[in-house]
Amino acid sequence: MLKAKQMTRAVIVGHKSILEETVNSLHKTNLFQIEDFNDDNSGLRIGRPFENVDDVSKKLIKIRSIASLLGVKDAESKKQDNTAVLSSLDDTLNKLDAELDAKTEQKSGLEAELKETESLKKELLPFANIDLSLDLYHGYENLAVFAGYVQENVESAISKITSSYEIFYDAKEGTVALFVSNEKSGEVAELLAELGFRELRVPNASGMPSESLSGIISRESGLLKQIEAIDAEIESLKDKYADFILASNELLSIETQKSEAPLRIATTESTFMVDGWIPDEDFAELEHVVKTATKGRAFVSKQEMTKEDEQKVPIEYDNPKVSAPFEEIMDLYARPRYKEIDPTTLIFISFPLFYGMILGDIGYALILLTLAFAIKKFVSSDAVKPLMNILIYCQISTFLFGILYGEFLGFPLASVHTDHGVVAGLIPGFETVELFASPIGGEIVTYPIHRTHLVMTLIVVTALIGVIHINIGYMLGFINENKKHGFMAALLEKGSWIVVELGILLAALGYVGMLPIAVGIIVFLIGFIMLVKGEGIKGPIELPALLSNSLSYTRLIAVGLSSIYIASTVNLIAFEMIWQPGTAIGVATIFAIVVFLFGHALNTVLSIIAPGLHSLRLQYVEFFGKFYEGGGRKYNPFGYIRKYTEEK
């Protein structure tokens, strides 16, 4: 807690004849992060992959292609025996590939035929209502044929040019089929162009268009049914082979990792050297596993960590299970550097606290708790579950603050006396109790705390919370600097800010006559000099940030008030609609319910986003800026967490 796991740099050396056994043992432990070797002038060179890499890679590509085609995704599945999957892999994969190829080829042929059918159908539709065989549209020596769209019946205009014509016109579609002698075809073409004629391609079919269209529609329906049947057969392949696909994909991924591992390892003609990192607590296990697998022929040694190593050592969190979900919030920003304080556990406390202070409503807490538990149950993604755990923690805090504030979906739980009378609460007989007068603005502190009646007091309280939070950051910064550069550097760079704040506080007490004001000024000047010496000109320039950072925490009340006003407005509109004079009760009630549900649904979404974003900002900007550097590498051990296979 508050620091990452202690890491050890280890080197494994042995003869090339035991490289495969060594790689297998490292992969099995899933504890050792291999540092990639880069060619240098040391005489070492990058190793070559194991001989089976090509065969394994081809199978992996094939199985992933099949998985993509069938739409097989990660799912809960019973683990299969590693040996059983391996023994049946080639035969099952070839059988599945052949079956799938046959189905997809058949489907592709049907889809191509369907596309041609749809194209012919589009060509036939304009001619469907013309009672003329498609065979009669072509094959003439002395006749010109015009088929297409016109804006109106052109027969009267054609008759002025020639009496030797035959015309078929579909007034509904605007389609015309016109037959004229070749001598008059030029004049007729000019006339049709003036009348907005658009030529149509005559379908490559025979018989009456309506009959052909009917046959095409029937054929199209039959093709769609055949395609649906093949899709069902492909879906049955998915159901039949899903477990095999998931297990073999995992198994082949593991084999590929191991086969390509030598590409990360330094070798000579006869030896190898694996360099990497492991948590210090696991070194003994690594040494035992490697020596057992190689029968003592591989040598495992610890390396002394240098300053340069500390800059690139991988970081593995070491937090209690309860606060581990907040590592997701840390990763959004940056992992801590080695020996730097890990603030995950502190965020576990402050993030839900700030979130709850902002939202503070029992109703929204219950809605979002239900949503979080439902998503956890029905979504199996490992990336989603920690986020839902964070949301659950935040809603527990929201529920507790909702009890403190006495709020349920914007309604007060307790009756409250105002200048305009008594506002009834949701709980009959539950009255607001006056506790004491606030020294700020003459406001009365009550239980439940009505935020809208205690604004000035809560602004001051949230600013003081900010001061405390920021100074915790300065103290953590002092610890970090002490580790890295010693006590004096820590005192000047971080301790100076606390001295400056103390000087401001003493000066304020002096201003009200409780102390000589000179004491505060002297302490402030001492802190100012320390700040200049520790941070240079940057320190004094950032002095105004003390005030702005503290005031930034007043968003804890400001954003919460906005949520209250949105909820209250929704409630007011909904209830006014029910009692609207001259409106039918049933209709008004329906609209009121719609407004109530939609308004609170929208505010629920905002209740996830706004408190979350503002709480994050207070962590990342105001808090982390005082002590946290970040930039550590993620610990990524060589291995695989099996989900679908197991070794027996």
Side-chain angles (χ1 to χ4, degrees), residues 455-507:
V455 175
M456 292 305 300
T457 300
L458 290 176
I459 285 175
V460 173
V461 168
T462 52
L464 288 175
I465 290 172
V467 171
I468 294 169
H469 197 226
I470 288 169
N471 278 283
I472 291 173
Y474 282 132
M475 286 187 283
L476 295 176
F478 183 94
I479 295 170
N480 279 337
E481 284 298 316
N482 186 38
K483 287 181 179 178
K484 290 189 291 185
H485 303 116
F487 177 80
M488 188 53 66
L491 182 64
L492 295 176
E493 287 189 28
K494 301 299 178 181
S496 57
W497 288 97
I498 298 175
V499 175
V500 165
E501 291 179 77
L502 180 61
I504 294 172
L505 175 62
L506 293 175

Side-chain angles (χ1 to χ4, degrees), residues 128-194:
N129 297 325
I130 295 179
D131 193 20
L132 180 67
S133 175
L134 293 167
D135 299 303
L136 300 176
Y137 280 82
H138 48 76
Y140 302 105
E141 292 183 4
N142 299 315
L143 289 178
V145 182
F146 297 91
Y149 289 114
V150 290
Q151 296 175 355
E152 58 186 56
N153 195 340
V154 296
E155 184 172 2
S156 60
I158 298 296
S159 64
K160 294 177 182 179
I161 297 176
T162 179
S163 59
S164 301
Y165 69 88
E166 188 73 27
I167 188 168
F168 299 86
Y169 179 65
D170 178 10
K172 183 179 179 181
E173 297 291 335
T175 309
V176 66
L178 176 62
F179 301 82
V180 298
S181 61
N182 284 336
E183 296 109 5
K184 297 295 183 179
S185 62
E187 295 178 52
V188 171
E190 291 180 4
L191 174 66
L192 291 174
E194 293 174 2

Side-chain angles (χ1 to χ4, degrees), residues 6-23:
Q6 295 297 303
M7 304 296 289
T8 292
R9 186 158 195 168
V11 172
I12 304 167
V13 179
H15 193 271
K16 269 189 175 180
S17 61
I18 59 168
L19 177 57
E20 190 165 350
E21 290 87 343
T22 304
V23 168

Side-chain angles (χ1 to χ4, degrees), residues 514-528:
M514 297 180 67
L515 287 173
I517 195 169
V519 174
I521 295 173
I522 291 171
V523 173
F524 175 82
L525 290 175
I526 292 172
F528 185 84

Side-chain angles (χ1 to χ4, degrees), residues 32-48:
F32 188 71
Q33 176 170 321
I34 298 175
E35 284 291 298
D36 292 346
F37 172 72
N38 297 312
D39 277 330
D40 52 23
N41 297 321
S42 63
L44 299 172
R45 59 179 180 272
I46 295 173
R48 293 183 179 181

